[in-house]
Amino acid sequence: MLPVLYSFRRCPYAIRARYTISFLGLHVYLREVDLKFKPQTLLSLGGRSSVPQLIDVEGSRYPESLDIIFWALSNVECRLDIECMWPKESVQKSKMMAWVRYNDNVFKGWLDRYKYADRYPECSQSYYHKKGEVFLKRLDKRLANRSFLFGEKVSVADIAIFPFIRQFAGVDQKRFDESQYHHLKLWLKGFLDSSLFKDVVMKKHSVWVSGREEVIFPPNK
Ligand SMILES: N[C@@H](CCC(=O)N[C@@H](CS)C(=O)NCC(=O)O)C(=O)O
């Protein structure tokens, strides 16, 4: 018996949850959701039915991607393994969360407007791009003298943010590739080119149907 993760392959929130789970070597049953036809088991939980959501083996519910990341961190066997990813000092934690919250509360809004500019005709797409670029610039500057946002090892901040930068880049890949954000591009490439990302996190799974055999994620080797 494993915890259940409701997920949607392309969703940046679900990507950060799946990345953390696989990065930390945990296992879940992955239920790929069709957002237009959500499974009854998800809907019947009540309240929000967004993905990702995790239900642990005791039946406790983790309804947001950050909840799932912290669930994963609290389930690793050895604290030493996560010291760089999620340090003990509360000042460091607050600093990491400040980056994540800016991503979620500010950048994500500009990303949506840039991506779906036709739905927000009050301003131009290039205006939304410019607004989003404020974050790209900050990230690039930060990454100029370190490999990851908080040093030489991947942290919660990197994992929580990179799926959104990937999405921003994907709106106009050529424009992003030709941009001046060399450190940011390198950082993103490191994630996207990794086998963990390509072969595990982004592996395609058919939509989960109640009663069908569960998909173990990541697969047991
Ligand atoms: N704050 C949530 C956001 C999750 C979210 O917005 N997921 C989208 C897919 S990317 C979704 O489920 N949309 C359909 C819905 O909300 O019903 C989290 O961190 O998990």
Side-chain angles (χ1 to χ4, degrees), residues 83-147:
E83 188 45 44
C84 295
M85 208 177 149
W86 186 239
K88 267 203 250 57
E89 307 80 55
S90 49
V91 176
Q92 282 293 91
K93 286 182 189 164
S94 308
K95 283 186 185 164
M96 279 187 192
M97 286 316 288
W99 284 87
V100 176
R101 294 209 193 290
Y102 185 90
N103 177 79
D104 289 16
N105 301 335
V106 181
F107 177 70
K108 174 70 165 83
W110 297 121
L111 163 61
D112 287 347
R113 282 166 176 74
Y114 172 48
K115 190 170 175 196
Y116 305 109
D118 50 334
R119 297 184 202 163
Y120 302 93
E122 55 281 10
C123 297
S124 67
Q125 190 186 34
S126 65
Y127 174 82
Y128 297 135
H129 180 268
K130 204 171 257 147
K131 287 293 194 180
E133 264 192 313
V134 172
F135 194 41
L136 303 197
K137 275 192 195 121
R138 283 183 57 201
L139 289 166
D140 189 65
K141 197 166 161 216
R142 176 120 188 133
L143 291 164
N145 48 14
R146 41 174 91 72
S147 305

Side-chain angles (χ1 to χ4, degrees), residues 2-6 45 53-62:
L2 290 175
V4 168
L5 178 72
Y6 290 98
L45 294 170
Q53 297 215 30
L54 183 133
I55 317 297
D56 74 8
V57 288
E58 272 99 41
S60 300
R61 180 179 184 184
Y62 298 81

